Amino acid sequence: MTTVIPTDLLVGAAALAAAWSHPEVPARPTAAPATGATPGSGPVRPLRLVLALSVGVTTLSMLQSLVVPVLPTIARELDVSAGAAGWVLTANLLAAAVLTPVLGRLGDTRGERPVMIGILTAVSAGTLLAALTSSLPLLLVARVLQGSSYGLFPLSISVLRRELPPARLGVAMSVVSSTLAVGGVVGLVATGLLTGERGDYHRSFWLGLAVSLVSLALAAWALPTRPPTASGRVDWWGAVVLGAGLVLFLLPLSQGATWGWTSPAVLGSLAGAVVVLAGWVVLQRRVRDPLVRPGLLTDRRMVLPNVAGLLTGVCIFTSFLGVLQYVETPPEVAGYGFDAGVLEAAVLYLLPGGVVGIVVAPLAGRAVSRVGALPTLLAGAICGVAGFGVLALFRGAPWLFVLVGTLTQLSVTIAYAALPALVVHAVRPDETGVANAVNSIARSSGQALGSTVAVALLTASADPETGLPRESAYAWIGVVGLACCAGVGLVSALGWRTERRGPDELAQVEEATARAGEWSPVSGLR
């Protein structure tokens, strides 16, 4: 493949080279190093650092999206049911939910460089396994290893926040944000090109392996060695209990449509999740070095971005499930749809929204710096309401679904541009990694919930004669997405009304981190 590093990254690198006249800058002051910590490795090279982090985030978003178009192919080639193939997504999501807070805490207490190199090593091993195996259990193991890649984005924010001064941090965050958007689109389009309608799904994992290895090499070359920003131990028991609670919560959300929402497995898992997570909060209040400081869970400034992240995660899945399923439906059978192939669905209906997201990401960051994160978040919610409103009411022409995809992806781009700034406002510098990891859990939970609701609506409305969902299901998917975007707008408006602006230093941090908008088309048809 000739496009391992997206063109957007090269453009961003050129912008950095033009903007920064000095190849090296001193490392920014950090928190006092822990006892026994080694000194820093010297001046950081901004261009090299941004290149490495951008390719790492590209790897994350590519691996999320590579399996989206090929789930039916995986089910066919492995001779398993569609529900079993859906575990290829579920296993990755569960692993991400469990590993992300642990990796964020490890980055804070052990240093970002060794943790990120360890993540990329595990990701490369998992991607190689996925490319070689034709066994569903081994493929699930591979996807669990790939799930550790979710820790790269919050750790990248920590690295850039620590290494670059505010004047240069904004451009760097814009480049990283854009490559995250590009990676998801490249993953979808490349999978369509490599597999076609009945191609071998292993090809997409070979592409993912190539990008993972490039990212690993760049990380080893460019990431500086710095003392940790936090001291203390990692609360491994807290991680185990949190992992158990998240699995009990996310598993029935992901599989409720298959198991039955009133089945003992679903109800028992949800009840168990309540008990375990409540016990985890009590445990965090009693240990000396908690995995997550309990104040992070109750601080209004963290509650707001976590609720917004949860609802935005729902919007991601409902949008992509609704658009992909509808446009790939044959009209001669169902009476609606456009009979689009995998590649056509990715390029014609998803790619435009990805391109718009690339353009809008730095503009959204600039808007946060001028008007604030909460008004920007509200603007993104309005875009989502408009997009899902079209899905709920108008579905007669292909261009309408291009519009739906573009508006809903624009909504996610703007929302994820504002969320990092809100998180940074709420935490100390030594908690940046774990706080962003907590926000990632909220997004992952929303993704699981959105996938579950969309699949349940499509399954419940299936026509007995054709086996395909009735068109009314897509109207209800639009209503769900609209309600979630309206919820994001409501919490942002309420927070905006009661917001108390901090000093100028916090405003500079907000301006810089706002450009780390996250967009990722993580979804799947089950």
Side-chain angles (χ1 to χ4, degrees):
M1 299 296 296
T2 58
T3 315
V4 174
I5 301 177
T7 304
D8 175 73
L9 177 57
L10 302 180
V11 174
L16 285 173
W20 296 339
S21 56
H22 301 289
E24 297 182 356
V25 297
R28 297 182 68 190
T30 61
T35 303
T38 59
S41 60
V44 64
R45 297 179 180 270
L47 186 60
R48 180 188 299 182
L49 179 65
V50 172
L51 176 65
L53 295 178
S54 297
V55 178
V57 172
T58 299
T59 304
L60 158 65
S61 54
M62 280 190 64
L63 292 177
Q64 287 179 340
S65 62
L66 279 177
V67 300
V68 172
V70 295
L71 283 179
T73 304
I74 291 174
R76 184 181 66 250
E77 293 190 10
L78 300 186
D79 193 24
V80 298
S81 67
W87 279 87
V88 175
L89 287 175
T90 303
N92 185 255
L93 181 65
L94 292 174
V98 173
L99 293 175
T100 299
V102 178
L103 295 171
R105 179 62 177 167
L106 281 174
D108 290 336
T109 59
R110 300 291 187 267
E112 293 91 352
R113 175 186 167 89
V115 176
M116 294 181 75
I117 289 177
I119 289 173
L120 288 167
T121 301
V123 167
S124 298
T127 308
L128 177 61
L129 177 59
L132 293 175
T133 188
S134 294
S135 162
L136 180 61
L138 290 179
L139 181 58
L140 295 181
V141 171
R143 291 293 287 168
V144 167
L145 290 173
Q146 289 177 344
S148 63
S149 66
Y150 283 65
L152 291 172
F153 186 73
L155 290 173
S156 295
I157 293 178
S158 296
V159 170
L160 290 176
R161 184 184 182 186
R162 167 147 62 163
E163 297 297 334
L164 300 182
R168 297 177 178 179
L169 186 57
V171 179
M173 288 292 192
S174 295
V175 173
V176 173
S177 172
S178 296
T179 53
L180 180 58
V182 169
V185 177
V186 168
L188 288 168
V189 175
T191 299
L193 287 171
L194 290 172
T195 63
E197 296 304 317
R198 299 187 66 84
D200 184 0
Y201 75 88
H202 294 88
R203 298 174 185 173
S204 59
F205 287 117
W206 285 115
L207 173 63
L209 177 62
V211 178
S212 299
L213 291 175
V214 169
S215 180
L216 176 59
L218 287 173
W221 173 57
L223 291 179
T225 301
R226 303 293 186 210
T229 58
S231 60
R233 303 176 301 168
V234 176
D235 179 19
W236 292 108
W237 279 113
V240 170
V241 176
L242 176 62
L246 290 173
V247 168
L248 288 171
F249 175 67
L250 291 176
L251 191 58
L253 292 184
S254 300
Q255 299 301 314
T258 302
W259 294 349
W261 287 105
T262 59
S263 66
V266 168
L267 297 179
S269 295
L270 292 176
V274 172
V275 173
V276 173
L277 291 175
W280 175 77
V281 172
V282 173
L283 176 65
Q284 294 299 285
R285 293 183 182 276
R286 295 186 176 183
V287 297
R288 179 177 179 181
D289 297 306
L291 180 68
V292 179
R293 181 168 56 87
L296 288 180
L297 305 177
T298 57
D299 191 325
R300 181 189 62 82
R301 295 173 301 174
M302 274 299 294
V303 171
L304 193 151
N306 287 340
V307 171
L310 175 74
L311 295 176
T312 304
V314 175
C315 294
I316 294 174
F317 270 79
T318 52
S319 169
F320 279 90
L321 281 167
V323 170
L324 288 174
Q325 181 86 342
Y326 191 101
V327 302
E328 292 180 4
T329 300
E332 64 275 9
V333 178
Y336 66 88
F338 310 119
D339 200 18
V342 173
L343 180 59
E344 182 183 357
V347 173
L348 294 184
Y349 297 95
L350 300 183
L351 185 57
V355 173
V356 170
I358 296 169
V359 175
V360 168
L363 300 178
R366 198 166 298 170
V368 171
S369 68
R370 293 187 177 182
V371 302
L374 291 172
T376 304
L377 185 63
L378 178 60
I382 293 172
C383 291
V385 168
F388 282 109
V390 173
L391 179 61
L393 299 175
F394 309 105
R395 297 176 298 277
W399 70 268
L400 289 172
F401 279 84
V402 176
L403 180 63
V404 169
T406 301
L407 286 174
T408 54
Q409 291 174 41
L410 180 61
S411 172
V412 172
T413 298
I414 296 174
Y416 282 172
L419 289 178
L422 296 173
V423 172
V424 167
H425 262 291
V427 300
R428 304 187 302 258
D430 62 326
E431 294 179 320
T432 302
V434 71
N436 279 282
V438 171
N439 193 248
S440 294
I441 292 174
R443 296 195 303 270
S444 298
S445 300
Q447 292 164 9
L449 181 59
S451 174
T452 297
V453 171
V455 170
L457 289 172
L458 293 172
T459 303
S461 67
D463 188 329
E465 296 183 2
T466 64
L468 296 172
R470 295 184 175 88
E471 189 176 4
S472 60
Y474 299 95
W476 283 110
I477 288 176
V479 170
V480 170
L482 190 155
C484 289
C485 289
V488 173
L490 178 61
V491 298
S492 60
L494 291 175
W496 183 13
R497 186 174 182 180
T498 59
E499 182 184 44
R500 294 182 179 179
R501 294 189 176 274
D504 292 340
E505 181 180 353
L506 284 180
Q508 291 178 343
V509 173
E510 180 181 80
E511 176 180 358
T513 55
R515 309 222 179 161
E518 181 178 5
W519 178 93
S520 182
V522 188
S523 62
L525 304 178
R526 299 182 182 176

